[in-house]
């Protein structure tokens, strides 16, 4: 569906020379999904053909609000107005695109952070960092002397937090993440822009910026390639991406030469194949330390085998187990396993392919074959101390938020039978007085010596009761809620 904004708006219908204008704007389309195209070009009918409908929310809002640009709808205008107020630069002329980029990227980065993504140099974290830094460059172009993005985030939460509760719950984390990232980038942004200006001052329209310069901007000053491309595009320049990628490949080669990997990622895909064959594992360890099950799959040195003998160390999957797999920072259970023709030690328990529980077993005596019945026994002392340390991690998390502020977010943890380590985000060093207050709060709950209460409920009900939802965690229809102390 194309909407005609009227003759007073320049532009023509699709296929005409003026199709890039804003008069005729597509606000809705339908995608008919019928075939799966093979590498050789042939097409296979999908088992369930479907029709996907795509509607542009801002485009429909523009029609309903009588404006002709997505950035003129009310959601964007409030953010742009706040950006204008904080920078003192009107949204007109060369400054208009900067205000629009900041408003758009603030929204996308805030939702990503609320969903548990944190800035990093790889994967989705790098996608977030690229978006953030592009907006931060535009804040620099507007002359903002202080970090701008964290000051705009509360405006976004006020606008959209009513419909998207995750924004309200994560507001402190969003603000702190934006502040830390913008402060970090500002330390190199100015020097990087100076290098870019010097490298382009003698270039003319149509010239190409060297890949080596683009790589130096990336490697030394933290400029993602698309940020550099965006910066030189305004001068009519392009970037030598072939040379840039060659420099990147050389850096990756150097990194590989200094790194010895575990090989785990190389075989990760195989576990999905195994799960397709035997199905997911059933975990019964919340209620029982022992379980009876049958060996469904045995892996030795990355290959499936039919049996394992004394002296072998293998990975074994049973249809059900009482062994808790490593997850959420908690170490996997250890223990023993007895089977028809011998016994073994469970050295570790891991989760693969989402919900396949894999036991790393040293065969002490006899032979274990696929199909053999086994008695699985978790080490009760280690389970108890690990559980206590895990409870301590929850208490510490709550105390950190109470003492340091609601912006504190968990970034990782290690919990086993020996100790507990908790990683968290905070804008500065923790003082001796704050450490004392945190310890006092945790110990006060422990000294109450009250039994922990566990309830099963929906994620929304748990959050309403005050449970802390960890950003980045995906919850099912039902969650276990642990309550400690009064």
């Amino acid at each position: 569906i194309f909407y005609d904004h009227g003759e007073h708006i320049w532009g023509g219908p699709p296929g005409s020379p003026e199709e890039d204008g804003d008069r005729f704007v597509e606000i809705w389309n339908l995608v008919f999904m019928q075939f799966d195209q093979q590498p050789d070009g042939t097409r296979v009918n999908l088992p369930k053909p479907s029709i996907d409908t795509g509607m542009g929310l801002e485009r429909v809002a523009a029609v309903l609000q009588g404006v002709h640009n997505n950035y003129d709808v009310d959601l964007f205008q409030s953010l742009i107005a706040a950006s204008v107020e904080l920078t003192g630069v009107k949204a007109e002329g060369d400054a208009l695109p900067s205000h629009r980029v900041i408003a758009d990227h603030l929204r996308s980065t805030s939702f990503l952070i609320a969903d548990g993504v944190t800035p990093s140099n790889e994967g989705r974290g790098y996608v977030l960092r690229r978006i953030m830094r592009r907006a931060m460059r535009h804040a620099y172009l507007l002359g903002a002397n202080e970090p701008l993005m964290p000051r705009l985030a509360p405006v976004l939460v006020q606008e959209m937090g009513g419909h998207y509760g995750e924004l309200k719950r994560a507001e402190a984390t969003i603000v702190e993440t934006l502040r830390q990232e913008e402060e970090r980038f500002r330390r190199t942004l100015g020097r990087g822009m100076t290098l870019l200006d010097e490298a382009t001052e003698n270039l003319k329209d149509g010239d190409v910026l060297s890949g080596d310069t683009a790589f130096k901007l990336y490697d030394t000053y933290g400029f993602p390639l698309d940020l550099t491309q965006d910066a030189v595009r305004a001068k009519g320049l392009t970037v030598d991406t072939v040379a840039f990628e060659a420099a990147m490949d050389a850096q990756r080669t150097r990194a590989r030469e200094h790194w010895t990997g575990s090989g785990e990622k190389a075989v990760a895909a195989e576990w999905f194949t195994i799960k397709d064959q035997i199905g997911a594992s059933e975990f019964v360890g919340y209620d029982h330390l022992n379980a009876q099950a049958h060996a469904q799959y045995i892996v030795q040195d990355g290959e499936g085998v039919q049996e394992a003998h004394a002296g072998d160390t293998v990975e074994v999957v049973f249809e059900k187990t009482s062994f808790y797999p490593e997850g959420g920072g908690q170490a996997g259970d250890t223990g023993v396993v007895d089977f028809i023709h011998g016994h073994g030690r469970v050295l570790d328990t891991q989760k693969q392919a989402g919900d396949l529980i894999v036991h790393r077993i040293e065969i002490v005596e006899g032979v274990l074959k696929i199909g053999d019945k086994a008695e699985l026994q978790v080490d009760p002392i280690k389970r108890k101390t690990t559980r206590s340390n895990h409870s301590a991690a929850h208490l510490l998390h709550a105390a950190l938020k109470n003492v340091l502020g609601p912006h504190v977010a968990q970034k990782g943890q290690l919990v086993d039978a020996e100790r507990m380590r908790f990683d968290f985000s905070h804008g500065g060093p923790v003082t001796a007085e704050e450490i004392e207050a945190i310890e006092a709060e945790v110990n006060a709950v422990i000294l109450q010596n009250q039994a922990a209460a566990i309830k099963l409920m929906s994620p929304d009900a748990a959050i309403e009761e005050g449970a802390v939802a960890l950003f980045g965690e995906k919850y099912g229809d039902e969650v276990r809620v642990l309550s400690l102390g009064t």
Side-chain angles (χ1 to χ4, degrees):
I1 298 175
F2 284 81
Y3 183 81
D4 182 358
H5 281 274
E7 294 181 356
H8 60 293
I9 304 296
W10 180 84
S16 69
E18 298 83 20
E19 65 178 354
D20 290 334
D22 291 332
R23 175 178 175 181
F24 297 92
V25 176
E26 180 184 349
I27 62 173
W28 207 317
N29 63 25
L30 298 176
V31 179
F32 296 83
M33 294 181 285
Q34 185 175 354
F35 302 107
D36 179 13
Q37 183 159 311
Q38 306 299 304
D40 64 0
T42 59
R43 295 176 180 177
V44 179
N45 284 316
L46 292 173
K48 293 184 178 180
S50 58
I51 301 173
D52 175 53
T53 178
M55 182 186 71
L57 177 62
E58 284 86 6
R59 295 184 183 195
V60 172
V63 171
L64 294 176
Q65 294 176 23
V67 295
H68 310 299
N69 188 291
N70 288 357
Y71 291 103
D72 290 335
V73 302
D74 51 5
L75 287 176
F76 276 120
Q77 281 300 296
S78 61
L79 296 175
I80 291 173
S83 179
V84 168
E85 180 180 357
L86 291 173
T87 61
V89 179
K90 293 182 179 180
E92 57 188 29
D94 292 339
L96 179 59
S98 291
H99 285 295
R100 288 176 171 179
V101 168
I102 290 167
D104 177 81
H105 289 18
L106 171 72
R107 191 170 65 170
S108 58
T109 55
S110 296
F111 274 95
L112 283 168
I113 295 168
D115 202 35
V117 183
T118 55
S120 70
N121 287 328
E122 58 185 13
R124 62 181 189 170
Y126 188 56
V127 173
L128 171 61
R129 174 163 283 168
R130 287 164 53 195
I131 299 172
M132 294 171 77
R133 293 192 170 185
R134 183 168 188 259
M136 291 166 185
R137 170 181 165 267
H138 281 275
Y140 172 87
L141 294 176
L142 292 174
N145 294 320
E146 299 292 332
L148 179 63
M149 301 279 279
R151 292 185 287 160
L152 288 173
V155 180
L156 173 70
V157 174
Q158 183 178 359
E159 280 289 313
M160 305 189 73
H163 289 284
Y164 300 94
E166 64 268 31
L167 285 180
K168 284 187 175 180
R169 292 194 294 271
E171 181 175 0
T173 302
I174 293 169
V175 171
E176 183 64 15
T177 302
L178 290 171
R179 184 188 67 78
Q180 291 183 12
E181 185 70 11
E182 191 160 357
E183 287 181 350
R184 182 181 297 114
F185 189 41
R186 275 175 171 267
R187 288 195 286 268
T188 61
L189 176 60
R191 295 194 296 273
M193 291 299 294
T194 299
L195 171 64
L196 186 59
D197 288 341
E198 292 174 351
T200 58
E201 63 180 349
N202 295 322
L203 298 180
K204 58 183 183 298
D205 188 21
D207 284 348
V208 179
L209 179 72
S210 74
D212 288 340
T213 300
F215 179 75
K216 185 176 181 180
L217 286 167
Y218 164 81
D219 193 45
T220 305
Y221 300 103
F223 280 42
L225 175 61
D226 54 351
L227 188 153
T228 301
Q229 291 174 311
D230 189 44
V232 302
R233 190 178 297 116
K235 300 181 179 182
L237 308 175
T238 57
V239 176
D240 185 349
T241 55
V242 174
F244 175 85
E245 289 299 334
M248 284 290 294
D249 287 340
Q251 185 190 61
R252 294 187 189 105
T253 300
R254 290 192 298 270
R256 281 195 295 268
E257 290 173 353
H258 293 86
W259 179 81
T260 301
S262 64
E264 289 181 2
K265 288 187 177 179
V267 300
E270 299 299 324
W271 289 112
F272 285 94
T273 302
I274 294 171
K275 189 179 77 169
D276 288 341
Q277 294 177 23
I278 64 176
S281 307
E282 178 188 0
F283 177 66
V284 297
Y286 286 134
D287 302 312
H288 307 283
L289 293 179
N290 294 1
Q292 291 184 345
H294 298 82
Q296 290 185 297
Y297 209 96
I298 303 174
V299 175
Q300 184 174 19
D301 297 329
E303 300 289 339
V305 296
Q306 293 297 309
E307 58 186 46
H309 300 265
D312 293 341
T313 298
V314 293
E315 295 170 295
V316 185
V317 180
F318 302 89
E319 78 270 19
K320 67 178 178 179
T321 180
S322 53
F323 281 71
Y324 185 87
E326 179 180 318
Q330 179 171 320
D333 277 332
T334 61
V336 297
V337 56
D338 294 316
F339 37 89
I340 299 174
H341 304 294
H343 67 274
R345 287 198 299 266
V346 180
L347 307 176
D348 191 17
T349 312
Q350 295 284 327
K351 183 180 287 188
Q352 299 286 359
D355 47 13
L356 199 66
I357 300 177
V358 181
H359 309 73
R360 185 165 172 262
I361 298 176
E362 177 191 2
I363 307 298
V364 176
E365 181 182 347
V367 58
L368 173 64
K369 300 178 181 180
I370 289 181
D372 282 355
K373 186 176 182 179
E375 177 81 22
L376 300 160
Q377 304 169 54
V378 174
D379 185 321
I381 296 175
K382 284 190 175 181
R383 167 69 78 84
K384 183 178 181 180
T385 53
T386 300
R387 182 170 56 192
S388 296
N389 285 339
H390 200 155
S391 297
H394 289 297
L395 293 177
L396 178 59
H397 191 187
L400 287 166
K401 284 182 173 289
N402 292 337
V403 174
L404 301 181
H407 66 274
V408 168
Q410 180 179 357
K411 296 300 181 182
Q413 68 178 22
L414 171 64
V415 177
D416 60 22
E418 307 281 327
R419 64 197 181 283
M420 179 272 292
R421 189 200 74 226
F422 192 88
D423 307 328
F424 63 95
S425 62
H426 181 52
V430 182
T431 66
E433 292 78 11
E434 289 169 334
I435 292 174
E436 185 177 347
I438 292 164
E439 290 177 346
E441 185 169 322
V442 173
N443 287 328
V445 178
I446 294 173
L447 291 172
Q448 291 177 11
N449 198 30
Q450 295 199 8
I454 297 175
K455 292 191 292 185
L456 298 176
M457 59 181 69
S458 69
D460 289 341
I463 291 171
E464 286 181 9
E465 288 200 6
V468 177
L470 300 180
F471 306 120
E473 290 291 330
K474 299 300 182 183
Y475 299 100
D477 296 332
E478 192 174 64
V479 294
R480 296 175 80 251
V481 179
L482 175 69
S483 299
L484 300 166
T486 57

